[in-house]
Amino acid sequence: MRKFIRPLACLAALLASCSKEARQFRAGPATGRAPAIAQSELFPGLTAPPASGPNPYEGNAHALAEGRRLYRWFNCNGCHFNGGGGIGPPLMDDQWIYGSEPANVFATIVQGRPNGMPSFHQRLNDQQVWQIVAYVRSLGKLPDAGKPPQRASEKSAARDVKSDPE
Amino acid sequence: MTAALLIGPAGSAAPEGEWHMAAKNHANTRYSALDQITIENAGRLQPAWTFSTGLVRGHEAAPLVVGGTMYVVTPYPNILYALDLARNGALKWKYEPKPTPSSQGVACCDVVNRGAAYFDGKIIYNTLDAHTVAVDAKSGREVWKTKVGDINRGESITMAPLVAKGKVLVGNSGGEFGVRGWVKALDAGSGSVAWTAYNTGPDRDVLIGPEFQPFYESDRGEDLGVKTWPPEAWRIGGGTVWGWISYDPELDLLYHGTGNPGPWNPEQRPGDNKWTAGVFARRPDTGAARWFYQWSPHDLYDYDGINENILVDLEWEGKPRKVILHPERNGYIYVLDRATGEVLAADPYAYITTTTKIDLSTGRPVHVEAKKPKLGEVVRDIAPAAPGAKDWQPAAYSPRTGLLYLPHQNLRMDQEVMEANYIAGTPFVGAEVRMYAGPGGHRGEFEAWDPIARREVWQIKEQFPVWSGTVVTAGDVAFYGTMDGWFKAVNARSGEILWEFKCGSGIIGQPITYLGPDQRQYVAVLSGVGGWAGAVVAGQLDPRDGTGALGFVNAMKDLPHHTARGGMLYVFRLP
């Protein structure tokens, strides 16, 4: 029975890169970490929200291995098994209730979801969450499955992680 | 010929044509003395009316019939519907307890509910978020609601309560979440907790006192609920009470099983792990333990001991004996003396590779070394698989035929155990499982067992596990349902199928029979596939991952090709 309570880690790189745009919108309750993400494909006034960025660890094989380890250590597998689901829904199929983009999966893990997905806000730091995101997306063979995703050349993962919020 | 006597429900004079508790009576026989439907005419059964619950998860409950009203409890969100039997099941009212949606995350094996109990003008049942509620049977108004468990510790409730001597007996689920198992007695009038008995920990918590007289040596000693565990492990050791409770008013004893120890990985909990995977006899007034017997000391395979304890009086080796008939998850049917806890017989009723026999001198199973779990190693051909040869789905006993009617499964598994990390509110298992069909390739059986001759009398093989309950009647007809949606009437003497009807979704509910206001006999059952066995359909799981739903998906990959979700009550009668 180990305790993993840690102080809140610095804001997610994503929050940093989106914060300019995000300020144009009404701020939600401050979680201090999760970027604003769209849960809908309906955009009033035809204005799509800014695209959420990639996982800073996209394509990073070490992060993927860490994500796999953490996925088991934090008992994600007790509810989702090896992606086929059980108590929680499958993570390897192409149906996503709360979105499959890295930022969506990040938010799901940190915030929890109403029908029984625990909030891991107090148990995982941002780096760990991104590592798990990489692993979760690899279950369904989504882009960060260890091979370089398309946008990797434009944005270096390392730079994203280190950038400070403005 | 078997001389079997039945115990009537104590104090409650439930008319034979009604159904006041999930198991029909305190003895848990699920036998109805109604005899209008017979071997001769069952073939002419027809649907009379239906009712949609509007829900898509597994429907395991038994409907109740009290006066001219039928009561149906749904899976989460545990709606209680009152249906007017004089008007073809027209809706009278519904009661919504609104359990917190988060409770769905701590239900190991679908968000099922196994039914309610009627007592003294109230319908009493449990909600997934670990509350017990009492609802006025006439008006549908809530009379009391008591919080009995905590979802943040992984506790939920799925079992049907039993009311005995004015006390509502309820127990927790969460054996896969590292909960500490308990049974509580609530005052039926007020809902206040009269006593709590834990199934692990020091004797004072387990309510073990001077009256405790277990039959076997290994159950005697001080604080075994602490000493048979590594330090502190009993606090998260399981021993839940999510199955059936029975009551013998003459001996004034309650009987309840206890669930598997946690985690599944046995290497993390050396010792007998008292008082998990066994059966307690307790006093209803105080909860004081009278005796205990452990089906699976130091359980290795998730063999919860919570299956029904059916109370019958048998002519045993020439003498009348008050016994418990218990089809156990480990594959043996036990006959226990219910006054003392002595095992009179334990015979295999299914394919077993994990043990060779039950040693009647010690009461302990004799294990097969090669099938014991080892850290980091896949052990193959473990039978019965984790859900056992029979899981929660309750059997019935007919005093007319002297036979036990068993819905069950024919499954084995490959299992690898690994270290489990306890984080409250998340699963605590430490095992990866893949189940598959046992010998013969069929995954389910419905069989009749003679407890005196100690042998199977007949058997019907089914493609899928028979995950429904059953009922047997004085017309010598037994009813059960299949996971691909067939509801069947069977000749209780021969096993011949007399009639079958294809329901909308797979059947995992408990059939009941009753007399309608028109004095005609009806049979009712909920269709709506799910439960642990049907999770692949109910939870829309991905069949490519055989380890899904604790490995049950591996054995049920084809179920989505045979049935779809959807809860519907079906009521049948003769034309």
Side-chain angles (χ1 to χ4, degrees):
Chain A
M1 278 162 275
R2 266 153 253 209
K3 282 218 160 140
F4 265 77
I5 300 174
R6 291 191 183 164
L8 281 183
C10 61
L11 288 180
L14 252 158
L15 182 58
S17 60
C18 297
S19 59
K20 228 184 221 137
E21 293 92 332
R23 256 192 264 119
Q24 298 162 10
F25 304 96
R26 189 153 34 111
T31 62
R33 55 200 305 180
I37 46 145
Q39 288 283 354
S40 173
E41 286 181 44
L42 288 175
F43 311 123
L46 303 176
T47 320
S52 61
N55 184 341
Y57 287 107
E58 234 171 58
N60 182 327
H62 171 72
L64 203 65
E66 259 315 277
R68 183 180 187 279
R69 191 185 64 80
L70 293 166
Y71 181 88
R72 282 165 177 73
W73 189 247
F74 285 92
N75 298 336
C76 311
N77 61 334
C79 289
H80 297 284
F81 298 88
N82 291 307
I87 295 171
L91 303 177
M92 68 198 289
D93 65 1
D94 53 7
Q95 286 187 45
W96 292 83
I97 314 168
Y98 302 106
S100 65
E101 288 301 308
N104 296 119
V105 179
F106 183 99
T108 292
I109 297 169
V110 173
Q111 298 171 351
R113 293 295 176 227
N115 295 305
M117 170 66 196
S119 161
F120 282 88
H121 193 282
Q122 302 299 103
R123 308 285 312 192
L124 297 167
N125 65 34
D126 286 0
Q127 183 184 347
Q128 291 173 315
V129 177
W130 284 121
Q131 289 168 337
I132 296 175
V133 169
Y135 176 69
V136 164
R137 284 172 46 93
S138 79
L139 294 169
K141 311 245 178 327
L142 290 168
D144 44 11
K147 49 182 185 219
Q150 281 168 352
R151 277 176 295 184
S153 53
E154 299 164 31
K155 252 188 177 189
S156 133
R159 196 180 64 221
D160 268 358
V161 168
K162 284 185 192 128
S163 67
D164 292 314
E166 312 179 339
Chain B
M1 204 42 236
T2 313
L5 302 169
L6 284 181
I7 299 166
S12 73
E16 192 51 43
E18 302 196 355
W19 202 279
H20 287 195
M21 59 189 97
K24 175 74 166 60
N25 48 41
H26 280 138
N28 275 235
T29 62
R30 294 168 190 271
Y31 169 77
S32 166
L34 301 184
D35 60 1
Q36 293 178 16
I37 298 168
T38 63
I39 291 167
E40 287 72 36
N41 65 23
R44 291 190 283 127
L45 282 165
Q46 297 180 343
W49 50 271
T50 60
F51 177 81
S52 168
T53 65
L55 296 168
V56 293
R57 301 306 291 254
H59 286 60
E60 286 189 353
L64 299 185
V65 171
V66 182
T69 307
M70 179 181 290
Y71 300 91
V72 176
V73 184
T74 72
Y76 170 90
N78 307 131
I79 301 165
L80 176 65
Y81 290 109
L83 308 176
D84 189 348
L85 295 179
R87 295 186 296 138
N88 287 324
L91 182 62
K92 277 183 156 172
W93 48 256
K94 69 172 175 178
Y95 162 78
E96 293 172 281
K98 301 195 173 79
T100 173
S102 293
S103 59
Q104 294 169 96
V106 291
C108 79
C109 310
D110 200 4
V111 294
V112 298
N113 185 288
R114 305 197 174 86
Y118 171 79
F119 181 77
D120 199 19
K122 293 184 277 287
I123 305 293
I124 302 169
Y125 68 102
N126 299 306
T127 61
L128 192 64
D129 65 349
H131 289 69
T132 306
V133 295
V135 179
D136 184 275
K138 285 218 164 62
S139 67
R141 244 173 277 138
E142 185 177 294
V143 183
W144 51 257
K145 182 173 187 171
T146 303
K147 182 179 184 224
V148 288
D150 179 1
I151 60 164
N152 268 309
R153 292 188 183 279
E155 290 179 315
S156 59
I157 307 193
T158 55
M159 56 94 76
L162 186 93
V163 185
K165 292 181 97 180
K167 294 210 161 57
V168 184
L169 299 148
V170 303
N172 59 354
S173 301
E176 280 61 52
F177 283 79
V179 310
R180 187 180 175 202
W182 48 253
V183 58
K184 286 178 199 286
L186 278 59
D187 179 82
S190 67
S192 63
V193 176
W195 52 259
T196 301
Y198 289 95
N199 298 322
T200 69
D203 286 352
R204 63 171 183 282
D205 292 3
V206 185
L207 305 187
I208 285 177
E211 222 193 327
F212 187 57
Q213 279 179 29
F215 192 84
Y216 296 97
E217 186 63 41
S218 58
D219 296 313
R220 294 184 207 141
E222 203 180 310
D223 290 334
L224 295 183
V226 173
K227 290 176 184 162
T228 59
W229 294 90
E232 305 297 310
W234 54 270
R235 294 183 191 276
I236 52 172
T240 52
V241 184
W242 59 273
W244 302 105
I245 304 181
S246 40
Y247 173 58
D248 179 340
E250 277 176 42
L251 295 174
D252 194 32
L253 288 174
L254 293 171
Y255 303 95
H256 71 82
T258 59
N260 62 284
W264 285 17
N265 174 8
E267 300 199 10
Q268 277 175 264
R269 44 173 175 80
D272 269 1
N273 309 138
K274 306 282 181 205
W275 307 88
T276 65
V279 51
F280 266 114
R282 296 182 184 277
R283 295 286 179 212
D285 293 328
T286 59
R290 177 80 185 129
W291 57 258
F292 173 86
Y293 168 71
Q294 197 166 28
W295 319 111
S296 299
H298 186 62
D299 163 50
L300 302 175
Y301 309 105
D302 182 38
Y303 293 162
D304 291 72
I306 59 79
N307 287 1
E308 63 281 11
N309 295 298
I310 301 177
L311 313 185
V312 301
D313 294 357
L314 290 184
E315 187 85 11
W316 191 261
E317 285 162 5
K319 282 195 233 96
R321 204 118 185 212
K322 292 177 183 297
V323 305
I324 284 172
L325 301 180
H326 176 93
E328 169 53 27
R329 211 141 136 158
N330 67 12
Y332 297 88
I333 288 191
Y334 287 74
V335 182
L336 258 61
D337 182 318
R338 70 174 178 269
T340 63
E342 178 187 2
V343 180
L344 305 179
D347 302 296
Y349 67 99
Y351 174 65
I352 301 175
T353 63
T354 53
T355 57
T356 52
K357 64 169 185 179
I358 309 299
D359 179 342
L360 293 190
S361 65
T362 60
R364 299 171 76 92
V366 178
H367 281 276
V368 175
E369 207 55 41
K371 298 298 174 190
K372 287 188 173 171
K374 275 164 223 86
L375 208 61
E377 211 176 281
V378 179
V379 178
R380 299 188 193 279
D381 189 28
I382 293 172
K390 193 182 88 53
D391 199 274
W392 76 281
Q393 64 272 43
Y397 176 82
S398 167
R400 284 172 52 86
T401 62
L403 301 180
L404 198 58
Y405 299 91
L406 295 170
H408 71 106
Q409 54 269 2
N410 174 39
L411 295 174
R412 46 185 147 175
M413 67 176 173
D414 297 344
Q415 184 186 37
E416 180 182 347
V417 297
M418 59 278 297
E419 192 187 345
N421 177 25
Y422 178 77
I423 304 172
T426 71
F428 185 52
V429 175
E432 196 161 276
V433 167
R434 282 183 182 79
M435 301 182 205
Y436 47 99
H442 59 291
R443 286 157 278 180
E445 291 172 7
F446 185 70
E447 77 176 68
W449 177 270
D450 184 335
I452 303 267
R454 299 166 64 172
R455 60 175 181 87
E456 181 186 294
V457 178
W458 51 255
Q459 180 204 74
I460 301 166
K461 291 184 170 60
E462 292 287 356
Q463 183 180 8
F464 296 109
V466 184
W467 207 256
S468 83
T470 181
V471 57
V472 62
T473 70
D476 290 342
V477 182
F479 294 89
Y480 74 98
T482 66
M483 291 189 72
D484 51 347
W486 290 95
F487 189 52
K488 304 190 179 186
V490 182
N491 179 330
R493 296 190 178 274
S494 69
E496 177 201 355
I497 305 232
L498 302 168
W499 167 86
E500 52 191 354
F501 182 88
K502 183 73 167 69
C503 296
S505 174
I507 299 167
I508 58 164
Q510 303 159 57
I512 67 156
T513 184
Y514 65 94
L515 272 191
D518 56 3
Q519 296 306 305
R520 291 165 66 179
Q521 185 183 355
Y522 291 76
V523 180
V525 71
L526 278 165
S527 133
V529 83
W532 187 10
V536 65
V537 174
Q540 300 188 304
L541 307 185
D542 193 317
R544 287 173 297 171
D545 174 13
T547 67
L550 294 156
F552 222 136
V553 166
N554 199 58
M556 305 300 285
K557 292 184 176 193
D558 53 339
L559 188 64
H561 305 302
H562 292 264
T563 189
R565 315 193 287 180
M568 179 85 98
L569 174 79
Y570 287 81
V571 178
F572 302 94
R573 68 162 175 235
L574 293 169

